[in-house]
């Protein structure tokens, strides 16, 4: 009797597990391993290894393998119901790549349950570390790939994203240029997601189209490798890549190593893993077109769902196929909580003081505007940090609190317009979503109700729900996505913030002005006031 489904999320700093009972709509078990604290021998800080050149950021894949063994061992001793798990899936931090040598497939297929995973898998890598999404050392390779393909417009249109430093293709190109012998010794290149699925299934797993879209190598419409992109990236790349499959593909039964070691059933299914963002979209119940979510974390991200594939002509946003069908878009704003904290601290406030100050000034901030680039920005691309203020004095606490939040929400509105979908509601998550005043500005600027979600571990939850969907479908009783995810979205108690009618068209005018200022300052950095604060 199988009742449960296991989802894992191998993120930057931790490996997290969630077991769901889909029939009851309940999470029955949760656990997590923190890479720095639990596996200190790998010497990571915040899950990664940095070279002196801070643009190079890698992580050891063997650490993720050890984390998997440690996590499942802890869960077993806590009584996790592994014998009743029908299927397992997972998600990984996107873009990171793992390089495997010729011994990988046979080693994975013959793991000895009496010995630890890490001891047996140490020899399967042709590159000891995996470049991860925080690595930004491939600007030259991005230029070379874009030039070979006929320009960034062509890259966006064919792969769904502009050639980006952290994306896998540019990373592979750099590896081939700097370490040609190791590239020659590489027989398979995996993503973090497909690597972890390979370990679980005891065979080289395919790459799912959701995570494949984060490589600058996949045709975003055909959902297959794009030959021109492969040729522009590195020689003989096609034979080093596994096939691309739909996100709910069953890779095979779980490897005997896991069955014997932890008591999984021999026929428990491993479902293809995907990227953490497509998986989070499921965990946040974004399964129909026109839905949107905003995560207000260290950085702010905006997810939107679309029925058809539409790409961002400016090359700022990314498009990934969704596990539940259709596509999702992703925008990543680096100056999120970081920028809000800088203003809060500059004026000696706590969050209550910040919120009160923000609320003391009317929407539109009496015409004051800030471009909040405390750090170089991803959307829009701003290479040099520098806050710009227009009609805004740096010492005015209240006006600065309102200005930073209005700027962030207006920027989301402007830079998500290419998606061509006006959301009817937005789910808010992440640390700053507890702040009602910030959500009020979001609702007013984006002109729709904002629901605060209590979902944490959204990527692992999404993985468990994908495992459930694929497993039930394979048994001939595919549930509707809507019914499957609905019980898991618990709105927080004070969950809904509506746009206020009295705001009127203040933000239509302000968005137009903001867009002009943003455009002009991209070409001419002169402004009323540029400062580092
Ligand atoms: P991440 O997952 O990226 O580490 P979180 O989603 O945990 O980030 O969010 C952490 C951020 O939430 C902190 O950086 C902090 O600035 C912000 N935060 C926490 N409480 C509040 C609040 N009441 N108002 C605004 N921001 C808050
Ligand atoms: C998305 C991105 C990150 C990683 C790590 O493009 O780089 O969100 O997926 O979470």
């Amino acid at each position: 009797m199988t009742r449960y489904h296991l989802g894992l999320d191998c993120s930057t700093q931790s490996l997290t597990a969630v077991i769901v009972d889909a029939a009851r709509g309940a999470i029955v078990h949760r656990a997590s391993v923190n890479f720095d604290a639990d596996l200190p021998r790998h010497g990571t800080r915040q899950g990664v290894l940095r070279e002196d050149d801070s643009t190079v950021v890698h992580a050891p894949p063997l650490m993720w393998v050890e984390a998997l063994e440690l996590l499942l061992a802890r869960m077993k001793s806590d009584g996790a119901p592994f014998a009743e798990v029908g299927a397992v899936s997972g998600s990984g931090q996107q873009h990171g790549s793992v390089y495997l040598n010729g011994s990988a497939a046979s080693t994975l297929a013959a793991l000895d349950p009496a010995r630890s995973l890490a001891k047996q898998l140490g020899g399967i890598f042709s590159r000891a570390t995996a470049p991860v999404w925080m690595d930004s050392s491939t600007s030259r390779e991005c230029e070379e790939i874009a030039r070979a393909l006929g320009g960034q417009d062509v890259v966006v249109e064919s792969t769904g994203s502009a050639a980006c430093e952290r994306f896998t293709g540019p990373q592979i190109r750099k590896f081939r240029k700097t370490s040609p012998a190791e590239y020659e010794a590489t027989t398979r290149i995996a993503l973090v997601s497909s690597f972890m699925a390979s370990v679980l299934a005891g065979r080289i797993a395919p790459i799912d189209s959701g995570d494949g879209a984060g490589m600058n190598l996949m045709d975003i419409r055909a959902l297959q490798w794009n030959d021109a992109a492969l040729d522009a990236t590195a020689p003989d790349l096609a034979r080093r890549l596994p096939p691309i499959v739909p996100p709910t593909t069953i890779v095979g039964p779980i490897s005997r190593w896991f069955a014997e070691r932890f008591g999984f059933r021999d026929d428990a299914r491993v479902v293809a893993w995907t990227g953490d963002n497509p998986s989070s979209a499921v965990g946040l119940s974004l399964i129909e077109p026109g839905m949107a979510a905003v995560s207000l974390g260290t950085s702010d991200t905006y997810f939107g769902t679309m029925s058809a594939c539409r790409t961002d002509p400016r090359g700022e946003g990314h498009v990934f196929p969704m596990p539940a069908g259709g596509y999702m878009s992703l925008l990543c704003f680096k100056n999120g909580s970081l920028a809000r904290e800088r203003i809060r601290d500059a004026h000696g406030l706590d969050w209550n003081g910040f919120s009160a100050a923000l609320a003391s000034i009317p929407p539109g901030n009496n015409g004051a505007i800030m471009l909040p680039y405390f750090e170089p920005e991803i959307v829009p691309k701003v290479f040099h940090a520098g806050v710009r203020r227009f009609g805004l004095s740096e010492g005015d606490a209240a006006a600065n609190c309102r200005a930073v939040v209005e700027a962030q929400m207006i920027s989301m509105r402007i830079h998500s317009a290419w998606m061509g979908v006006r959301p009817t509601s937005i789910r808010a998550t992440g640390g700053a979503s507890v702040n009602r005043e910030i959500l009020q500005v979001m609702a007013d600027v984006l002109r729709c109700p904002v629901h605060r979600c209590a979902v944490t571990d959204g990527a692992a939850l999404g993985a468990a729900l994908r495992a459930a969907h694929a497993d039930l479908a394979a048994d001939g009783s595919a549930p509707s996505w809507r019914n499957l995810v609905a019980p898991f979205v618990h709105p927080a108690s004070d969950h809904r913030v509506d746009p206020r009618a009295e705001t009127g068209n203040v933000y239509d005018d302000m968005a137009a002005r903001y867009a002009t200022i943003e455009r002009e300052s991209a070409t001419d950095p002169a402004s009323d006031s540029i400062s580092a604060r």
Side-chain angles (χ1 to χ4, degrees), residues 2-335:
T2 62
R3 281 198 295 154
Y4 300 128
H5 293 95
L6 168 62
L8 296 158
D9 174 43
C10 187
S11 76
T12 313
Q13 304 201 40
S14 57
L15 179 70
T16 301
V18 164
I19 299 181
V20 297
D21 179 341
R24 276 200 304 126
I27 291 177
V28 298
H29 203 104
R30 267 201 168 95
S32 188
V33 159
N34 178 280
F35 301 140
D36 296 0
D38 292 315
L39 298 164
R41 84 174 181 90
H42 293 282
T44 55
R45 286 186 56 195
Q46 293 169 319
V48 297
L49 304 167
R50 285 176 196 269
E51 283 184 15
D52 293 343
D53 167 3
S54 65
T55 61
V56 175
V57 186
H58 286 211
L62 207 53
M63 175 178 78
W64 301 326
V65 170
E66 280 182 40
L68 182 60
E69 184 167 346
L70 176 62
L71 179 71
L72 295 176
R74 276 188 192 165
M75 291 172 76
K76 187 180 178 194
S77 66
D78 287 347
F82 289 146
E84 292 175 75
V85 166
V88 44
S89 188
S91 61
Q93 47 173 308
Q94 294 201 255
H95 319 301
S97 41
V98 179
Y99 298 76
L100 302 171
N101 63 30
S103 74
S106 54
T107 308
L108 286 168
L111 290 172
D112 173 4
R115 296 172 57 219
S116 89
L117 263 189
K119 286 225 164 65
Q120 299 179 73
L121 293 182
I124 68 171
F125 304 102
S126 53
R127 188 182 197 182
T129 56
V132 298
W133 66 280
M134 296 165 81
D135 189 292
S136 57
S137 64
T138 63
S139 298
R140 179 166 304 158
E141 287 73 21
C142 290
E143 278 168 30
E144 290 165 353
I145 290 170
R147 201 176 319 121
L149 286 174
Q152 283 286 25
D153 293 356
V154 181
V155 188
V156 171
E157 195 37 40
S158 54
T159 73
S161 296
C164 299
E165 281 77 357
R166 66 190 192 286
F167 275 45
T168 323
Q171 292 289 343
I172 293 172
R173 181 170 178 82
K174 183 180 158 203
F175 180 54
R176 159 68 178 53
K177 280 165 60 183
T178 54
S179 310
E182 287 84 347
Y183 180 78
E184 271 316 303
T186 303
T187 53
R188 284 287 177 198
I189 300 174
L191 291 178
V192 178
S193 58
S194 71
F195 170 65
M196 296 298 277
S198 304
V199 174
L200 274 172
R203 61 170 77 176
I204 303 288
I207 286 178
D208 95 296
S209 52
D211 216 8
M215 300 175 80
N216 286 141
L217 294 175
M218 188 187 84
D219 185 301
I220 194 64
R221 292 182 178 80
L223 308 185
Q224 289 304 328
W225 298 119
N226 178 304
D227 291 337
L230 300 191
D231 290 346
T233 299
D236 286 330
L237 186 48
R239 70 176 164 85
R240 293 181 164 85
L241 295 169
I244 295 179
V245 295
T248 47
T249 300
I250 293 172
V251 175
I254 199 162
S255 139
R256 191 171 68 91
W257 192 90
F258 292 89
E260 292 199 12
R261 193 94 168 189
F262 300 115
F264 286 97
R265 293 165 54 109
D266 291 342
D267 61 354
R269 292 166 166 143
V270 177
V271 175
W273 285 39
T274 189
D276 55 357
N277 292 302
S279 200
S280 293
V282 175
L284 284 167
S285 277
L286 294 196
I287 47 152
E288 277 151 26
M291 300 178 87
V294 173
S295 171
L296 301 171
T298 307
S299 48
D300 291 346
T301 48
Y302 181 100
F303 294 180
T305 56
M306 310 180 280
S307 51
C309 176
R310 211 180 245 261
T311 53
D312 180 358
R314 294 202 241 191
E316 296 166 341
H318 309 299
V319 185
F320 305 132
M322 286 272 296
Y327 288 83
M328 68 176 283
S329 55
L330 176 89
L331 291 168
C332 184
F333 302 89
K334 201 170 192 182
N335 287 282

Side-chain angles (χ1 to χ4, degrees), residues 296-298 337 341 351 430-432 434-435 438:
L296 301 171
T298 307
S337 283
E341 280 174 25
W351 284 124
V434 298
N435 190 316
I438 293 177

